[in-house]
Amino acid sequence: MGGSTLGLDWKANMTTKAQKNKSSLFYINLFFLTCLLTVGVISGFIVPPESIEPNIANALCAASLEHPFGCDIYGADVLGQIILGTRTSLYIAVVSVIISFAIGTFLGLISGFYGGALDYFVCRIIDVFMAFPGILLAMSIAALLGPSLNNIIIAISLTGWTASARLVRGQVLTIKELDYISATRSLGASHSRIVWKHILPNIFPQLIITGSFALAGVILTEASLSFLGFGAQDNTYASWGSLLNQGRDVLFEAPHLSIIPGLLIFLLVF
C-alpha cells in the first residue's frame, strides 16, 4: 500500500510540474506575441524614414549604437527594416487569413446547406485546388500578378480557402439535420436566415481556432514567396521574407542579414 501511495504521489507531482511548465510556456509565448503585435502596430511611429533610405556609404556596416543590427547591402538600417517588416508580415498574414476564410466560409455554407449539384460543383473545385501544392499554386499566381504587397495577399488568399470550406461544409451537413433547425424551418424561417442566424454562429468558434492555426502556415508561405522575390520591393513594406532574400547574396560576409529575420520567423511560427 505504501509503495502504491508513493507511486500515485509521484505521478501527481509529475502531472503538476508538467501543467506548470505548460502554463509558463503559454505566458512566455503570449508575452512574445504581444510584443510583436505592439511593435507591428507602432512600427511606423518608431522608425525614422531616413533610417531605411539607401546610403551606400554605410553598406554592410557592422553593428553600432547608431545601427544596432548593422546595415544591409544598400546601407539601410537593418533594425528599422525588421521593425517595419513585423508590420508587413503580420498584416499580410492576418488579411490573407480573413479573406481566405471569408471565401471558404461562404462556399462551405452554401455547399453544405443546399447540397445537390451546387455541392458537387464546389467539392470538385476544392479537389482541383488541393491537387496542387499550395506554395506552388501561390507562386504561380504571384508570378502572374507581379511582385507587390497586395498581389501576394491575393495569391495566398486564392490558395488558402479550401481548408475552411471543407471545415464549414462538414459542420453544416451535421448542424442542418438537428432538431432546432427543423423547428426553425417549421416556423417559416427563410434559408438565408437559417444559414446566417442559426448555423454560422455555431461554426464561428471552430473557424476562429482553425484561423489562428492557419496564421502560422500563412506566415511561412508569405516568407517563402517574399524570399523568392514575389513580395514588396520597397524597404518601407519589406517583410521578413524579403529581408532574408536581401541577405542571401552576402551570407558569409554579413550573416546577420539572414539570421535575424529567419530567427524571428521561426519564433513567431513556433
Side-chain angles (χ1 to χ4, degrees), residues 99-208:
I99 294 175
S100 62
F101 269 62
I103 296 172
T105 300
F106 175 75
L107 292 177
L109 281 171
I110 63 174
S111 173
F113 185 79
Y114 291 104
L118 179 61
D119 182 38
Y120 179 83
F121 178 70
V122 172
C123 288
R124 298 294 75 78
I125 294 177
I126 293 175
D127 292 339
V128 169
F129 272 82
M130 296 191 68
F132 297 93
I135 183 65
L136 182 61
L137 189 58
M139 191 186 307
S140 302
I141 297 174
L144 180 65
L145 298 176
S148 75
L149 188 67
N150 292 329
N151 288 344
I152 203 170
I153 291 175
I154 294 173
I156 296 174
S157 300
L158 291 179
T159 58
W161 61 270
T162 53
S164 57
R166 294 182 64 187
L167 170 67
V168 171
R169 177 182 176 274
Q171 293 291 319
V172 171
L173 290 175
T174 301
I175 293 175
K176 76 175 185 178
E177 302 299 332
L178 297 179
D179 292 339
Y180 80 91
I181 298 296
S182 301
T184 305
R185 283 198 184 97
S186 66
L187 293 174
S190 63
H191 288 173
S192 61
R193 181 175 179 81
I194 293 174
V195 170
W196 300 110
K197 296 291 185 180
H198 299 282
I199 294 181
L200 182 59
N202 288 285
I203 302 174
F204 203 67
Q206 290 91 332
L207 284 175
I208 294 176

Side-chain angles (χ1 to χ4, degrees), residues 69-126:
F69 288 171
C71 296
D72 64 9
I73 57 178
Y74 304 108
D77 182 61
V78 174
L79 177 59
Q81 293 184 73
I82 288 176
I83 293 175
L84 292 175
T86 305
R87 176 186 62 183
T88 303
S89 294
L90 292 177
Y91 171 77
I92 293 175
V94 172
V95 174
S96 298
V97 168
I98 291 174
I99 294 175
S100 62
F101 269 62
I103 296 172
T105 300
F106 175 75
L107 292 177
L109 281 171
I110 63 174
S111 173
F113 185 79
Y114 291 104
L118 179 61
D119 182 38
Y120 179 83
F121 178 70
V122 172
C123 288
R124 298 294 75 78
I125 294 177
I126 293 175

Side-chain angles (χ1 to χ4, degrees), residues 5-20:
T5 303
L6 289 174
L8 291 175
D9 290 342
W10 180 81
K11 289 182 179 179
N13 290 334
M14 292 299 293
T15 302
T16 303
K17 289 181 179 179
Q19 291 175 346
K20 288 182 178 179

Side-chain angles (χ1 to χ4, degrees), residues 38-53 66-69 76-88 235-238 240 243:
T38 303
V39 169
V41 171
I42 66 174
S43 59
F45 302 99
I46 60 179
V47 177
E50 62 274 8
S51 67
I52 59 173
E53 291 295 328
E66 185 180 0
H67 304 287
F69 288 171
D77 182 61
V78 174
L79 177 59
Q81 293 184 73
I82 288 176
I83 293 175
L84 292 175
T86 305
R87 176 186 62 183
T88 303
N235 283 350
T236 305
Y237 301 102
W240 289 342
L243 298 178

